[in-house]
Amino acid sequence: MTDTTKSEIYDEKLFKQPPPLDDCPICFVRLPSNQSAQTYQPCCGKIVCNGCMYAPLYDDQGNKIAERKCPFCRITAPTSEKEIVKRYEKRVELGDSNAMFDMGGFYDRGIRGFTQDYTKALELWHRAGELGNAQALQSIGYCYFHGEGIERNEKIALQYYERAVIMGDYHSRRSLGIEEMKAWNISRAKKHYLIAARDGNENAVTNVLKLYSRGLATKEEYENALRSYQEYVAEVKTSQRDDAAKLMHKKYY
Ligand SMILES: [Zn+2]
Ligand SMILES: [Zn+2]
């Protein structure tokens, strides 16, 4: 196989729109691609949308239940950091890559009773990445990019970002677009932005708009990015999710 063919095959994988995430197991609407709009449950290992996560609970008399429970398996939510970590450890033991990814984050930020330890964080993310966890690959890339806990290496960082987007990661796609822009590979940058827009990344739409205003993208390309983003929103928007976003003062779509 020639090098050109190899890189063509690679590009085909790299510039493929990732399949939509599974539906939320409670409301059966597509999960938002942005991970901050979902919540991982360390009891049952399910990922539920924040709409379901923060929806008020009522008993059969119609009274609001104050006690928080997992919206999927109905187990009472953990009340202490220790209990949260215990649930995570159990999931990690079961080989759950989402639990490994989150645990890595606890070490990375030194939260939930852990002392900050980049080596442990990277260890967990590598394990999760081997199991196909796209977010973990993105996090490893981020560490290489910023020299966090590891020697800075932009080239390796971008390789991890590429592996992450191929696995469907939400955040890396726009970063790759920005890097292509720096290298003045405008058409590759636009390809990344368009895919990111269809996957719900509003900033990617802004990036295409900026290119349009500089004469580096056509009006059609901008319209296409905007339309793609709107199509995505139509697929994931629910009033419950809007309420959760308001509650957390965050923009979720
Ligand atoms: Zn839901
Ligand atoms: Zn649960």
Side-chain angles (χ1 to χ4, degrees):
M1 203 186 286
T2 65
D3 280 352
T4 325
T5 331
K6 258 194 218 162
S7 76
E8 274 169 11
I9 292 173
Y10 186 71
D11 273 5
E12 209 177 292
K13 277 204 290 187
L14 185 64
F15 292 114
K16 206 170 161 192
Q17 189 74 49
L21 292 181
D22 289 343
D23 294 345
C24 167
I26 321 258
C27 63
F28 301 113
V29 178
R30 174 185 172 176
L31 278 171
S33 306
N34 187 347
Q35 287 92 11
S36 61
Q38 332 156 346
T39 306
Y40 172 77
Q41 305 295 325
C43 34
C44 49
K46 295 283 179 194
I47 293 176
V48 302
C49 78
N50 282 354
C52 292
M53 183 67 200
Y54 296 102
L57 296 174
Y58 298 96
D59 63 16
D60 42 15
Q61 312 292 319
N63 303 312
K64 210 168 167 182
I65 303 172
E67 190 187 37
R68 296 301 318 173
K69 287 178 181 199
C70 165
F72 186 80
C73 71
R74 298 279 161 188
I75 278 184
T76 308
T79 47
S80 67
E81 297 279 342
K82 249 192 186 155
E83 212 183 317
I84 296 173
V85 170
K86 233 172 146 183
R87 287 191 185 177
Y88 269 102
E89 282 170 346
K90 222 169 157 189
R91 294 297 313 174
V92 169
E93 259 174 50
L94 290 170
D96 179 341
S97 75
N98 289 315
M100 291 172 199
F101 167 71
D102 279 2
M103 276 275 274
F106 302 160
Y107 279 112
D108 178 60
R109 284 176 282 157
I111 56 166
R112 302 239 187 268
F114 292 106
T115 314
Q116 192 172 51
D117 188 333
Y118 292 135
T119 311
K120 285 226 169 93
L122 280 162
E123 235 175 66
L124 281 155
W125 287 337
H126 275 287
R127 273 176 72 193
E130 290 305 317
L131 293 168
N133 189 293
Q135 290 186 81
L137 295 171
Q138 189 271 338
S139 295
I140 300 168
Y142 182 93
C143 287
Y144 273 109
F145 200 89
H146 298 275
E148 203 178 271
I150 207 161
E151 202 181 326
R152 193 173 188 281
N153 189 321
E154 219 172 277
K155 203 175 154 202
I156 299 179
L158 296 180
Q159 284 167 358
Y160 272 101
Y161 284 165
E162 287 182 357
R163 280 179 65 193
V165 297
I166 290 170
M167 303 298 300
D169 177 58
Y170 169 82
H171 292 286
S172 310
R173 179 75 70 182
R174 188 169 154 263
S175 309
L176 285 174
I178 292 169
E179 289 309 306
E180 292 289 6
M181 268 315 292
K182 282 188 200 161
W184 209 243
N185 294 323
I186 297 163
S187 90
R188 290 176 74 85
K190 282 192 285 195
K191 274 190 198 172
H192 280 307
Y193 291 152
L194 284 171
I195 296 171
R198 186 62 183 85
D199 207 26
N201 196 318
E202 199 178 10
N203 290 322
V205 182
T206 313
N207 286 93
V208 179
L209 178 62
K210 279 185 196 158
L211 288 177
Y212 170 58
S213 65
R214 291 163 68 190
L216 296 170
T218 62
K219 194 164 173 249
E220 287 69 34
E221 281 170 325
Y222 169 60
E223 278 172 358
N224 189 6
L226 185 62
R227 201 177 323 113
S228 294
Y229 174 72
Q230 287 164 345
E231 277 167 16
Y232 164 85
V233 173
E235 280 172 27
V236 298
K237 195 175 172 64
T238 69
S239 62
Q240 236 181 20
R241 290 177 184 182
D242 284 340
D243 290 345
K246 258 186 241 153
L247 192 74
M248 300 174 83
H249 308 287
K250 279 187 178 174
K251 187 160 181 179
Y252 276 110
Y253 305 103

